């Protein structure tokens, strides 16, 4: 019974990882204008939501100003919120994929070191393929920095 349950969980985690991979591939298949437009819409709606929530009190307004200052100061993209959100989205979606892969490998009873190495290799391979796809097939720019963000 325990073996069957492990098999079910393995299948669920693999399917979740594959779903995330398909989602990433379909998003990276968009041309640069469409992709930038989509992320700009998401960024602006998030900014408005946070702004409204935080400006409802004096403490919230103060916190909003501090958050904006930290992002501008520490983000490598300065005040370009859209680019900052795009890179954060890269990190988060690859984190979800890596987490699902790692959990899948846990179901196979591999040692911790092997799970980490295999997860990193799969993520690195997928990030390289994704950047190659964007650069050579879609016509968007390829970025080594994106591969590093994805791998982190």
């Amino acid at each position: 019974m325990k073996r069957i349950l492990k098999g079910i969980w393995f299948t669920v985690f693999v399917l979740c990882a594959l779903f995330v991979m398909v989602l990433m591939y379909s998003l990276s298949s968009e041309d640069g204008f469409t992709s930038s437009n989509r992320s700009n819409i998401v960024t602006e709606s998030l900014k408005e939501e946070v702004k409204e929530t935080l400006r409802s009190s004096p403490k919230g307004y103060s916190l909003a100003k501090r958050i904006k200052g930290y992002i501008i100061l520490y983000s490598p993209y300065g005040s370009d919120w859209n680019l900052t959100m795009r890179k954060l989205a890269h990190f988060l979606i690859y984190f979800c994929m890596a987490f699902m892969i790692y959990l899948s490998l846990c179901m196979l009873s591999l040692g911790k070191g092997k799970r980490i190495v295999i997860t990193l290799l799969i993520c690195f391979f997928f990030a390289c393929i994704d950047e190659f796809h964007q650069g050579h097939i879609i016509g968007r720019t390829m970025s080594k920095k994106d591969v590093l963000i994805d791998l982190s």
Side-chain angles (χ1 to χ4, degrees), residues 39 43 75-77 80-89 146:
S39 66
T43 300
S75 171
Y77 309 105
D80 188 343
W81 288 81
N82 188 30
L83 196 51
T84 300
M85 292 302 289
R86 289 175 69 94
K87 300 308 175 186
L88 182 61
D146 279 351

Side-chain angles (χ1 to χ4, degrees), residues 14-55:
V14 167
L15 289 175
C16 287
L18 289 173
F19 173 76
V20 172
M21 288 176 175
V22 168
L23 176 65
M24 285 189 285
Y25 186 80
S26 67
L27 289 173
S28 71
S29 294
E30 296 176 340
D31 62 85
F33 179 76
T34 304
S35 176
S36 184
N37 229 9
R38 177 191 315 279
S39 66
N40 198 33
I41 290 169
V42 171
T43 300
E44 290 304 315
S45 64
L46 282 172
K47 278 173 54 179
E48 285 305 312
E49 183 67 33
V50 169
K51 208 183 281 185
E52 277 187 35
T53 303
L54 291 177
R55 288 190 174 172

Side-chain angles (χ1 to χ4, degrees), residues 11 26 83 119 138:
T11 305
S26 67
L83 196 51
T119 300
I138 303 303

Side-chain angles (χ1 to χ4, degrees), residues 55 63-73 78-79 81:
R55 288 190 174 172
L63 178 62
K65 287 181 81 165
R66 285 197 315 260
I67 291 171
K68 182 178 180 181
Y70 282 126
I71 290 175
I72 290 171
L73 183 64
S79 61
W81 288 81

Side-chain angles (χ1 to χ4, degrees), residues 94-109:
Y94 271 85
F95 175 81
C96 290
M97 182 181 75
F99 188 62
M100 291 299 121
I101 292 168
Y102 186 83
L103 290 175
S104 300
L105 295 173
C106 285
M107 297 298 115
L108 296 178
S109 302

